[in-house]
């Protein structure tokens, strides 16, 4: 008769670093789909690998450097593509103007319509546009036709509202569209460092930033 033996669960071992790198790359690409259990398992494997051998630490440092390069490259590409988009938009608008001027220069037919320019796969023609506004002197346009976008300290905004009566305050707030609020964390920290309490905020201590040398 076989005896029942209790077998201890295996300890977390250091997986090969290429496996760790593959897992990390997968986490980066599918961060929103990774379950908390999967991330905890990966963290344990990662910590074991990082603790096990010196060369694995070097590989992690190299991978961090690679990610930093990718971040810089992405920023550069965003700026480059934004400029490229603006260039293409200007070229598109200019080329359309050239075609419009060419067709307008041909004049109209007997029915008073502008002629078409036909190619083998493309036909150019003109259509009337609805009336549009062109500002010839923006400073002369009355304020009732303008919208201002202002940035000011929230306390100044509150003081302005406090100086209004109830109806005026409601009217102003009713015209505010999609307000964006940003926190001045430097001012908050300076106040807390000076001993002041800031409701809704606190100082987080005990955290560490990674330094790679």
């Amino acid at each position: 008769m076989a005896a029942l033996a209790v077998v201890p669960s295996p300890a977390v071992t250091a997986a090969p670093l290429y496996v760790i790198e593959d897992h990390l790359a997968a986490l980066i690409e599918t961060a929103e789909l990774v379950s908390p259990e999967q991330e905890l398992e990966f963290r344990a494997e990662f910590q074991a690998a990082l603790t096990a051998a010196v060369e694995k630490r070097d590989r992690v440092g190299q991978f961090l450097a690679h990610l930093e390069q990718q971040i810089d490259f992405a920023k550069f590409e965003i700026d480059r593509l934004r400029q490229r988009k603006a260039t293409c938009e200007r070229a598109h608008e200019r080329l359309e103007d050239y075609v419009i001027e060419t067709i307008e220069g041909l004049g109209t037919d007997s029915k008073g319509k502008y002629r078409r320019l036909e190619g083998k796969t493309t036909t150019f023609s003109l259509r009337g546009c609805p009336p549009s506004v062109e500002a010839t002197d923006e400073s002369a346009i009355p304020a009732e036709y303008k919208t201002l976008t202002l940035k000011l300290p929230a306390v100044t905004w509150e003081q302005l509202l406090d100086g209004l009566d109830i109806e005026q305050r409601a009217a102003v707030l009713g015209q505010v569209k999609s307000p964006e609020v940003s926190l001045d964390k430097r001012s908050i920290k300076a106040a807390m460092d000076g001993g002041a309490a800031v409701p809704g905020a606190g100082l987080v201590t005990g955290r560490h930033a990674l330094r790679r040398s």
Side-chain angles (χ1 to χ4, degrees):
M1 181 177 179
L4 181 64
V6 177
V7 179
S9 58
V12 176
T13 57
L17 194 63
Y18 70 87
V19 175
I20 298 296
E21 290 175 343
D22 288 344
H23 287 182
L24 182 56
L27 282 177
I28 293 172
E29 296 296 332
T30 60
E32 296 180 354
L33 303 178
V34 175
S35 66
E37 293 77 12
Q38 290 174 317
E39 185 175 1
L40 286 175
E41 181 180 354
F42 170 78
R43 282 177 178 268
E45 293 179 358
F46 180 83
Q47 291 171 3
L50 194 62
T51 307
V54 172
E55 63 271 12
K56 294 184 179 181
R57 300 167 195 168
D58 292 336
R59 292 286 298 278
V60 171
Q62 294 166 5
F63 193 59
L64 284 172
H66 167 71
L67 292 176
E68 290 169 355
Q69 292 173 353
Q70 292 299 305
I71 292 171
D72 291 338
F73 176 73
K75 291 179 180 178
F76 173 80
E77 279 297 289
I78 289 172
D79 292 338
R80 186 186 68 82
L81 290 175
R82 185 180 292 112
Q83 295 174 7
R84 178 65 175 170
K85 176 177 178 289
T87 300
C88 290
E89 288 174 342
R90 290 193 299 268
H92 182 273
E93 182 179 359
R94 187 179 299 114
L95 187 57
E96 279 197 341
D97 287 342
Y98 292 163
V99 177
I100 291 173
E101 289 177 1
T102 300
I103 296 178
E104 289 177 342
L106 295 175
T108 57
D109 57 18
S110 58
K111 297 181 180 180
K113 294 183 178 181
Y114 284 102
R115 293 174 172 80
R116 295 184 176 186
L117 291 180
E118 296 184 357
K120 292 183 178 180
T121 60
T122 303
T123 298
F124 295 114
S125 61
L126 300 184
R127 59 180 176 83
C129 296
S132 59
V133 175
E134 179 181 1
T136 56
D137 185 359
E138 185 175 320
S139 62
I141 297 177
E144 60 188 286
Y145 300 108
K146 297 178 180 178
T147 299
L148 294 179
T149 300
L150 303 176
K151 288 187 177 182
L152 70 164
V155 63
T156 303
W157 170 248
E158 293 293 341
Q159 291 172 350
L160 291 174
L161 291 178
D162 290 341
L164 303 176
D165 59 37
I166 296 178
E167 292 183 357
Q168 290 176 326
R169 181 186 178 99
V172 170
L173 291 176
Q175 297 184 55
V176 175
K177 301 177 181 179
S178 303
E180 295 183 3
V181 179
S182 59
L183 297 179
D184 186 353
K185 291 188 176 181
R186 290 186 178 180
S187 298
I188 294 175
K189 187 175 185 302
M192 289 184 170
D193 289 342
V198 179
L203 289 178
V204 178
T205 60
R207 288 182 177 176
H208 299 89
L210 183 63
R211 181 176 60 189
R212 192 173 72 254
S213 58

